[in-house]
Amino acid sequence: IINGLPFETKEMMIETVKYLNKLDIQGIKIHMLSIIKDTKLAQLYIKDNLNLISREEYIDIVCSQLEYLRPEIVINRITGDPKQSDLIAPDWLCKKVTILNDIDKELVKRNSYQGKKLN
């Protein structure tokens, strides 16, 4: 799934996970929308000044999604790592390890885990 699509709300991103729970899937990859050079999305981003979610919002959303994700679904990826020379935005995506660590810290802070809100 790609989080942070234009005009997508946190509630919509959580609904995506709830929908996926109904499907016969074994794994999931979670990414943040990234703006890559020389793409139509890059042109749209520059022309219309698209607003991207912040790093903090992404961490909050991913943690909320995990709380609704069936525990037996394997998380194959929780953030991407785009090539820095191709990335226009968001620049924080290049700090993959710190994002992963902050997701872990947020789950600990919430006393939460994958599937917690399904009970």
Side-chain angles (χ1 to χ4, degrees):
I1 60 177
I2 300 174
N3 286 328
L5 295 171
F7 312 109
E8 187 178 36
T9 65
K10 178 180 177 179
E11 291 73 25
M12 293 165 79
M13 291 178 248
I14 292 170
E15 285 301 316
T16 297
V17 168
K18 290 178 179 179
Y19 172 77
L20 292 175
N21 280 338
K22 298 174 187 175
L23 303 177
D24 183 25
I25 62 169
Q26 287 70 51
I28 187 171
K29 293 180 180 180
I30 302 173
H31 289 266
M32 169 60 193
L33 180 69
S34 52
I35 311 298
I36 305 298
K37 291 178 183 173
D38 301 322
T39 64
K40 289 189 180 195
L41 186 58
Q43 293 170 2
L44 187 63
Y45 174 76
I46 294 165
K47 177 182 172 233
D48 294 338
N49 197 25
L50 288 180
N51 188 25
L52 301 177
I53 61 176
S54 70
R55 184 177 187 279
E56 293 75 20
E57 289 171 309
Y58 181 76
I59 291 166
D60 174 60
I61 289 163
V62 168
C63 290
S64 296
Q65 288 174 315
L66 293 176
E67 291 173 333
Y68 284 99
L69 185 66
R70 291 190 339 250
E72 65 272 13
I73 296 176
V74 175
I75 301 165
N76 296 310
R77 181 171 297 141
I78 214 158
T79 186
D81 51 353
K83 193 173 170 184
Q84 191 170 6
S85 60
D86 293 337
L87 184 67
I88 294 175
D91 59 353
W92 53 263
L93 277 178
C94 293
K95 298 176 181 171
K96 182 177 183 175
V97 174
T98 61
I99 296 167
L100 295 173
N101 287 339
D102 287 346
I103 290 169
D104 286 340
K105 288 176 189 174
E106 180 63 21
L107 287 170
V108 168
K109 180 179 164 188
R110 294 181 184 199
N111 190 29
S112 197
Y113 52 87
Q114 183 177 342
K116 180 178 183 176
K117 292 197 175 176
L118 296 176
N119 300 330

